[in-house]
Amino acid sequence: MKRKRRTDNRSPRAPETINFARQQRQQANEFACHVWQIVRNRGCLKQKFRREYPIPPYTVDFCCVELKLVLEVDGSEHFTDEGQQHDQQRDRFLADLGYIVHRIPGYQVINEPIAVRRQIEEAITKRMATMPPHPQPLSPKQVGGEGS
């Protein structure tokens, strides 16, 4: 998939950021379209993914916000020295924000779709196992309400 980087540091909800993500969705390549069919509508282990999701200064291919799991579909430019260096820098940036990046070679999406689905499911399962549990809401007694 083509390299996407925003040079500014705007909010993910800024109009420019949203328009950029929309444009990326419209220009999605065949690889990304196939992966979208796998993960859309909670189609993969009931996890919600967003496509062309802005995490400024970048826009990622797919993101499960709840799990902080990013799926990147890599086209041929990602296999050059320059592309790999860029991806490493980007992955470190996202890791510093708490995201896990799972990269999928584009050719594999077309040639081995069942294996790609399994990879995505494994990435989700692994991430779910490492996520801290959601805190339980406090009962009225715990917050000093009724019955204290």
Side-chain angles (χ1 to χ4, degrees), residues 2 18 27 40 44 47 68 89 92 98 103 128 138 142:
K2 61 195 163 305
I18 292 169
Q27 296 173 356
R40 68 187 296 254
C44 209
Q47 297 302 309
K68 286 194 140 184
Q89 177 184 359
R92 277 193 302 273
R103 293 192 166 276
M128 288 170 71
L138 297 175
Q142 292 171 311

Side-chain angles (χ1 to χ4, degrees), residues 120-131:
I120 295 169
E121 288 172 349
E122 288 172 14
I124 292 169
T125 301
K126 184 176 178 182
R127 186 62 173 156
M128 288 170 71
T130 61
M131 290 292 291

Side-chain angles (χ1 to χ4, degrees), residues 17-72:
T17 306
I18 292 169
N19 287 335
F20 181 79
R22 282 186 184 139
Q23 181 183 42
Q24 292 300 116
R25 283 191 289 272
Q26 291 169 353
Q27 296 173 356
N29 65 22
E30 181 182 12
F31 306 142
C33 291
H34 282 285
V35 172
W36 181 237
Q37 293 309 309
I38 293 170
V39 300
R40 68 187 296 254
N41 294 329
R42 297 183 186 266
C44 209
L45 299 181
K46 303 206 182 300
Q47 297 302 309
K48 179 173 181 59
F49 279 86
R50 299 167 191 265
R51 67 182 179 156
E52 299 301 335
Y53 185 74
I55 304 173
Y58 299 104
T59 298
V60 300
D61 291 342
F62 304 97
C63 183
C64 176
V65 177
E66 182 179 343
L67 296 178
K68 286 194 140 184
L69 175 64
V70 169
L71 304 177
E72 283 292 310

Side-chain angles (χ1 to χ4, degrees), residues 65-116:
V65 177
E66 182 179 343
L67 296 178
K68 286 194 140 184
L69 175 64
V70 169
L71 304 177
E72 283 292 310
V73 183
D74 292 346
S76 59
E77 69 276 1
H78 292 270
F79 298 103
T80 65
D81 288 339
E82 182 184 330
Q84 289 179 345
Q85 288 174 0
H86 178 267
D87 289 346
Q88 288 172 358
Q89 177 184 359
R90 187 172 189 236
D91 292 356
R92 277 193 302 273
F93 175 85
L94 293 169
D96 288 346
L97 295 177
Y99 289 89
I100 297 292
V101 178
H102 181 77
R103 293 192 166 276
I104 304 165
Y107 64 85
Q108 191 177 29
V109 173
I110 301 301
N111 296 331
E112 304 170 34
I114 294 170
V116 168

